[in-house]
Amino acid sequence: MGCQKEIARKILDRDAGYVLAVKGNQGQLYQDMGDLFQAGFGTGLDDLPHDYAATLNKDRGRIERRECWTISDPACPEYLSTVGDWPGLRSVGMVRPERREGEEVSVETRYCISSLESDARRFLRGGEESLGH
């Protein structure tokens, strides 16, 4: 995780923005992200400035729907116990890909942090590599 923080700093030093995946092995940050989105969905995200985007792809009998929610509420980072460790943090995101192939369905949830404004479409497009795609 220390390496990611240094990478984030170097990206910002070059006047660019980052979207970084938050993995399960990042302990408290991953848990905090899950809690934040669970609480947000509990209220329908009504009280949070957020963005949403989805894509649908079909290929050789497989259907993949990817949904993304991003939150940019300035108070949200306060829910992340390690917020001070991430330079330039401005938004957080959750990507949920669902793959259907025949009768088989798989759904996963991924989280990311970013120095960019809340833009779910950009997260889906630009964060694919960071999020494991």
Side-chain angles (χ1 to χ4, degrees):
M1 200 158 64
C3 181
Q4 274 192 323
K5 292 173 191 170
E6 184 59 32
I7 290 169
R9 170 59 51 210
K10 287 179 181 180
I11 291 169
L12 292 174
D13 288 346
R14 293 182 180 213
D15 294 325
Y18 65 81
V19 175
L20 299 172
V22 176
K23 306 279 185 168
N25 65 355
Q26 291 174 304
Q28 192 59 49
L29 179 58
Y30 186 85
Q31 180 66 44
D32 289 349
M33 294 286 291
D35 292 346
L36 173 64
F37 277 94
Q38 183 177 5
F41 286 129
T43 63
L45 294 174
D46 293 338
D47 298 332
L48 297 173
H50 68 282
D51 194 29
Y52 171 81
T55 61
L56 182 64
N57 295 305
K58 298 176 184 180
D59 186 30
R60 299 183 189 145
R62 180 178 52 171
I63 299 171
E64 180 174 290
R65 177 175 176 81
R66 295 179 65 226
E67 295 181 281
C68 179
W69 295 264
T70 57
I71 300 173
S72 63
D73 184 342
C76 281
E78 295 174 13
Y79 291 99
L80 308 178
S81 59
T82 60
V83 67
D85 297 343
W86 296 99
L89 180 65
R90 295 173 77 186
S91 60
V92 296
M94 183 179 90
V95 177
R96 182 175 289 153
E98 177 182 304
R99 292 182 191 95
R100 294 177 179 268
E101 195 162 355
E103 297 295 318
E104 193 171 319
V105 177
S106 67
V107 179
E108 32 183 320
T109 300
R110 300 181 184 140
Y111 302 109
C112 53
I113 57 174
S114 178
S115 63
L116 304 171
E117 288 291 326
S118 178
D119 184 341
R121 190 166 276 128
R122 179 190 284 181
F123 273 52
L124 281 177
R125 187 177 61 246
E128 289 177 342
E129 291 178 16
S130 297
L131 296 169
H133 278 68

